[in-house]
């Protein structure tokens, strides 16, 4: 006898996300472990070794960090998420891989696109599994794979007037 297929909730939205929607979707009588990851827009960002859109001739004082940047943490005032047209299919593929893991009964992955303010929810992931260990492992794989393989890019705006794209290919 084969195991039942895990239920899936997958979406990219330009409206506010709901943790309750994801956890309610993943609950069922056979779920013993329910693990949720919520990513929110924070008010700062550490330096990245990525493309920067700083004005010509601007300087960012500081010392090099582990990423090789010479700028200190920046105060984030807002950001926007842009998704490639293939992002939904890529997100579906990530969810399908996680849904196939042993013990997984349900998977929810919803990501924001558009303009977000500090404190807004950017991503909500939830996994319901038969046991807690399976749920923790699957939820970690879900968010890690989403960040690694779904073409969604973040455009951060900083208090000093500079900005930065994160996640560009």
């Amino acid at each position: 006898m084969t195991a039942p297929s895990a239920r899936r909730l997958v979406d990219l939205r330009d409206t506010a996300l709901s943790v309750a929607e994801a956890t309610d979707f993943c609950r069922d009588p056979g779920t013993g472990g329910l693990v949720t990851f919520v990513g929110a827009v924070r008010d700062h960002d550490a330096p990245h070794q990525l493309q920067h859109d700083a004005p010509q001739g601007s300087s960012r004082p500081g010392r090099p960090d582990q990423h090789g940047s010479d700028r200190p943490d920046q105060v984030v005032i807002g950001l926007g998420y842009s998704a490639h047209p293939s992002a939904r299919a890529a997100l579906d593929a990530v969810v399908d891989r996680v849904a196939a893991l042993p013990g997984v009964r349900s998977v929810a992955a919803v990501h924001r696109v558009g303009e977000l303010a500090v404190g807004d929810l950017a991503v909500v992931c939830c996994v319901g599994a038969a046991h807690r260990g399976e749920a923790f492992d699957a939820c970690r794989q879900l968010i890690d794979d989403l960040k690694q393989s779904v073409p969604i890019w973040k455009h951060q705006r900083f208090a000093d007037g500079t900005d930065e794209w994160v996640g560009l290919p």
Side-chain angles (χ1 to χ4, degrees):
M1 184 170 154
T2 62
S5 178
R7 295 180 333 116
R8 296 159 177 82
L9 169 63
V10 182
D11 206 3
L12 298 174
R13 297 183 181 160
D14 61 0
T15 57
L17 303 184
S18 167
V19 175
E21 176 192 23
T23 56
D24 289 349
F25 177 85
C26 288
R27 285 192 181 131
D28 71 54
T31 295
L34 188 68
V35 175
T36 304
F37 172 81
V38 178
V41 178
R42 63 184 175 263
D43 65 358
H44 69 281
D45 192 43
H48 292 276
Q49 198 170 22
L50 300 172
Q51 175 181 342
H52 296 279
D53 292 332
Q56 287 289 346
S58 69
S59 64
R60 294 182 173 170
R63 61 186 187 285
D65 70 350
Q66 71 270 20
H67 302 290
S69 176
D70 65 349
R71 72 173 174 86
D73 281 5
Q74 294 285 292
V75 175
V76 173
I77 58 172
L79 56 81
Y81 282 102
S82 300
H84 187 272
S86 67
R88 174 57 195 264
L91 185 55
D92 281 329
V94 168
V95 169
D96 286 349
R97 286 192 300 273
V98 171
L101 294 173
V104 172
R105 300 180 57 84
S106 54
V107 180
V110 185
H111 202 295
R112 277 287 300 270
V113 292
E115 295 300 313
L116 284 77
V118 170
D120 286 348
L121 301 185
V123 63
V124 176
C125 295
C126 188
V127 174
H131 303 283
R132 71 177 178 270
E134 295 162 336
F136 274 109
D137 292 345
C139 193
R140 180 176 199 98
Q141 181 175 332
L142 175 60
I143 189 59
D144 288 349
D145 288 358
L146 184 160
K147 297 279 287 180
Q148 183 74 19
S149 63
V150 178
I152 297 174
W153 308 292
K154 177 169 59 173
H155 184 214
Q156 300 187 111
R157 292 179 309 284
F158 301 113
D160 69 0
T162 62
D163 61 340
E164 172 183 62
W165 283 94
V166 180
L168 293 177

